[in-house]
Amino acid sequence: MAMSAGREDGEPMVEMNTTPLIDVMLVLLIMFIITIPIQTHAVKIDLPQNAPPTDSVIDPVKNKVAIDQGGVITWNGSAIDLLTLRQYLQQSLRLPVEPELQFQPNAATRYVVVDQVLAEIKRAGVTKLGFVGNEQYSQF
């Protein structure tokens, strides 16, 4: 590559070297392209929402937990285990108004099962609890 330092008679070069200026401008252009946020075009769409299930096993007014003499726990008439009872209690407490929980153990039920169910009810934090069917205990 040939470089000229000016004319042969010692005059300075009048032309401006634009190569560094172009390099700086290209770097600035690339920086602006990277830092400018991409325009996002949004299309508003009304998506369907999940509707709450209509066949919910949790009544928003009152629910009944019963234990038969064999120790089978039922929630509103359906047989459940302790884990399901815990889930139903948590779901019922998430409702805007806490439903009443009616507790009805059979008189012939073992106390251990009744104690386990009462412990689950207490752990869940139920505040509206009622004992129903107490007249069956007057015979003993």
Side-chain angles (χ1 to χ4, degrees), residues 3 6 30 32 49 67 70 75 104 111-113 117 121 136 138:
M3 294 181 65
I30 291 172
F32 283 131
Q49 302 295 324
I67 306 173
W75 177 276
Q104 182 179 12
Y111 179 73
V112 173
V113 178
V117 172
I121 292 171
Q136 65 181 334
S138 63

Side-chain angles (χ1 to χ4, degrees), residues 43-114:
V43 178
K44 300 214 183 265
I45 299 174
D46 293 329
L47 297 174
Q49 302 295 324
N50 288 339
T54 57
D55 58 340
S56 177
V57 294
I58 299 173
D59 188 347
V61 177
K62 65 179 178 178
N63 295 294
K64 185 174 184 180
V65 176
I67 306 173
D68 66 3
Q69 64 185 20
V72 177
I73 306 166
T74 59
W75 177 276
N76 292 337
S78 301
I80 59 170
D81 58 353
L82 284 174
L83 178 63
T84 308
L85 174 66
R86 186 178 307 137
Q87 293 170 350
Y88 286 168
L89 290 172
Q90 290 173 354
Q91 289 176 8
S92 67
L93 291 174
R94 283 190 217 120
L95 293 175
V97 177
E98 180 183 346
E100 176 186 343
L101 182 64
Q102 298 178 346
F103 184 63
Q104 182 179 12
N106 191 303
T109 304
R110 293 183 52 208
Y111 179 73
V112 173
V113 178
V114 175

